[in-house]
Amino acid sequence: MKNKNYYAILMAGGVGSRFWPVSTQDFPKQFHDMLGTGDTLIQKTFHRLAQLIPEENIFILTNERYNDLVFEQLPSVTKRQVVLEPAMRNTAPCILYAALKIQKENEDAVMIVAPSDHWIEDEQAFSHNVKTAFDYCESNDALMTLGITPTFPNTGYGYIEYDQSTTTEIKQVSQFREKPDYETAKSFISQGNFLWNAGIFMWSAKSVIKAYKNNQPELFKLFESGYSVYNTEHEDAFIKENYQNAENISVDYALMEKSRNVYVIPATFDWNDLGTWGSLYDKLDKDDNNNAIVNAKTLLEDSSGNMIRSKADKIVVIDGLKDYIIVDKDEVLLIFPKAKEQDIKKVLQNVKANFGEEYG
């Protein structure tokens, strides 16, 4: 029997613009089978969480424009489980909203906040780490996160610095550090007490709501004023009227960087945030010339290190390309150097400006 006090908030509202042209505002990456496995990223994440958490206690937090996509891809969930944001306001407001709904339903709830678009291979190790965190959060006033042991000096992630004197599995966080430059990232790794911030959080409903009350009194007041209508037929009207008034702020800034009771568990599983075509390339199987291929049938000559994706069974012929992203989707073909993948966001803006919003 799964613990009825275990809950999850599955974050599925992002656009994933670095995965353009596959990921678009109308159909973002979490609803695509990015890995070519037969499951979309949100489906994989839901099934991973359901190994530990009762399915009916997994809440999907997303923008209202993705409501239909959620029900198409997760047909077993009910309307109660889908928490819709009528406006984009970053992660702090929506997590508070979902936490209040969960607390009203079960004041003994402990929960995980998990992005819908991450790749995790060892799901048993993931469940073990989450269970350890839940056990601690049930009996302590703690805000917990999972940190990833760095494998190289990545400048694209924030870092978590923990107290080196801690010898237990659960470590006290000293501070959160912004995305560093390369030399700073190297120094973090050499110190041995820095982890990548994966954006995975665990806490009890009581602790996280107390943290909002202490650190974000205005935000707390806004959402707490609707407590009496949460989980009733009047909830939607309250949210439509008030959600837009919430500050646009991340949960990292709002809570984690301001609180003293923050702890981290170094994760024991392989992890990738699947944030870019390059990160996807790293996780896919490669051919003899290090080309990663999703869906396409390929004829490749003098071509290596490429990320190639098309519709199923489309024939793709390439000669003389090295370290490129080649993505064919409907009316858009992207051929772009992997080394410049961070610029895809800018390219998307140019495409929209020149050809219309419908292309993004």
Side-chain angles (χ1 to χ4, degrees):
M1 282 285 289
K2 292 172 188 167
N3 190 321
K4 67 178 177 15
N5 293 335
Y6 287 2
Y7 284 76
I9 299 172
L10 197 166
M11 306 289 285
V15 175
S17 52
R18 288 191 182 91
F19 270 113
W20 183 82
V22 167
S23 184
T24 64
Q25 275 203 313
D26 288 335
F27 206 121
K29 66 173 177 174
Q30 59 269 29
F31 300 107
H32 288 278
D33 176 10
M34 298 301 299
L35 295 153
T37 61
D39 280 328
T40 64
L41 294 178
I42 193 172
Q43 287 169 334
K44 286 184 80 68
T45 306
F46 187 90
H47 298 321
R48 183 188 310 128
L49 293 169
Q51 292 179 24
L52 181 69
I53 293 158
E55 279 198 18
E56 65 274 16
N57 287 359
I58 301 174
F59 285 70
I60 294 90
L61 218 157
T62 192
N63 191 275
E64 61 184 13
R65 70 162 68 180
Y66 307 136
N67 185 54
D68 291 347
L69 280 171
V70 169
F71 286 112
E72 278 170 32
Q73 297 203 0
L74 300 172
S76 65
V77 305
T78 62
K79 187 176 184 297
R80 163 187 155 274
Q81 291 168 260
V82 181
V83 182
L84 299 175
E85 311 160 77
M88 295 223 176
R89 287 292 183 273
N90 216 315
T91 53
C94 57
I95 289 171
L96 173 57
Y97 170 31
L100 286 164
K101 279 173 62 64
I102 289 169
Q103 185 198 43
K104 189 174 181 188
E105 179 175 295
N106 181 351
E107 62 180 18
D108 296 320
V110 289
M111 67 192 80
I112 177 172
V113 176
S116 59
D117 51 4
H118 288 183
W119 177 93
I120 290 169
E121 188 162 292
D122 188 343
E123 298 192 339
Q124 276 191 312
F126 170 80
S127 290
H128 171 77
N129 285 161
V130 174
K131 174 81 165 60
T132 301
F134 278 177
D135 287 347
Y136 190 83
C137 291
E138 279 183 317
S139 50
N140 295 276
D141 179 18
L143 306 178
M144 189 83 73
T145 185
L146 295 181
I148 310 299
T149 302
T151 51
F152 67 99
N154 194 314
T155 58
Y157 299 143
Y159 284 69
I160 301 165
E161 181 182 355
Y162 63 82
D163 181 352
Q164 262 181 321
S165 66
T166 322
T167 54
T168 53
E169 182 181 8
I170 295 170
K171 302 178 186 304
Q172 177 100 40
V173 170
S174 304
Q175 60 180 324
F176 287 81
R177 305 290 284 264
E178 295 298 310
K179 294 174 183 176
D181 60 31
Y182 185 73
E183 289 305 315
T184 307
K186 281 207 310 196
S187 80
F188 285 173
I189 290 176
S190 67
Q191 289 174 62
N193 63 322
F194 282 80
L195 302 165
W196 288 336
N197 183 359
I200 302 170
F201 307 107
M202 288 113 342
W203 41 53
S204 68
K206 289 189 189 84
S207 289
V208 73
I209 289 166
K210 177 179 165 189
Y212 273 105
K213 191 174 183 180
N214 292 340
N215 295 304
Q216 299 295 328
E218 288 300 310
L219 197 63
F220 173 76
K221 192 175 161 191
L222 175 67
F223 282 95
E224 203 266 341
S225 68
Y227 196 77
S228 63
V229 300
Y230 291 155
N231 308 335
T232 76
E233 61 185 338
H234 304 294
E235 177 182 331
D236 289 350
F238 170 82
I239 289 298
K240 274 191 168 55
E241 184 182 339
N242 290 279
Y243 199 91
Q244 62 194 351
N245 300 324
E247 184 183 354
N248 190 334
I249 185 172
S250 74
V251 76
D252 297 76
Y253 283 120
L255 293 193
M256 304 305 278
E257 295 184 13
K258 289 181 164 60
S259 302
R260 300 279 176 89
N261 57 331
V262 182
Y263 300 86
V264 63
I265 296 175
T268 55
F269 49 84
D270 284 340
W271 169 90
N272 188 301
D273 78 334
L274 293 185
T276 63
W277 286 112
S279 62
L280 177 63
Y281 170 88
D282 290 341
K283 284 301 157 201
L284 292 169
D285 292 335
K286 319 288 191 298
D287 68 9
D288 292 343
N289 293 304
N290 281 323
N291 297 296
I293 301 158
V294 178
N295 298 336
K297 290 178 175 176
T298 55
L299 281 174
L300 307 177
E301 196 71 43
D302 189 27
S303 296
S304 60
N306 297 303
M307 171 72 236
I308 303 163
R309 190 186 198 278
S310 72
K311 288 182 180 175
D313 297 329
K314 184 157 193 172
I315 295 170
V316 178
V317 181
I318 299 171
D319 191 337
L321 276 186
K322 292 181 173 59
D323 298 324
Y324 266 72
I325 299 161
I326 302 107
V327 181
D328 180 61
K329 179 180 179 279
D330 300 333
E331 62 283 346
V332 178
L333 172 64
L334 177 75
I335 303 170
F336 206 77
K338 264 195 336 204
K340 293 173 69 178
E341 66 171 6
Q342 295 296 336
D343 293 340
I344 288 177
K345 253 186 168 176
K346 275 190 264 177
V347 171
L348 171 57
Q349 296 311 315
N350 287 336
V351 168
K352 288 203 246 183
N354 284 281
F355 303 111
E357 287 289 326
E358 66 270 23
Y359 291 100

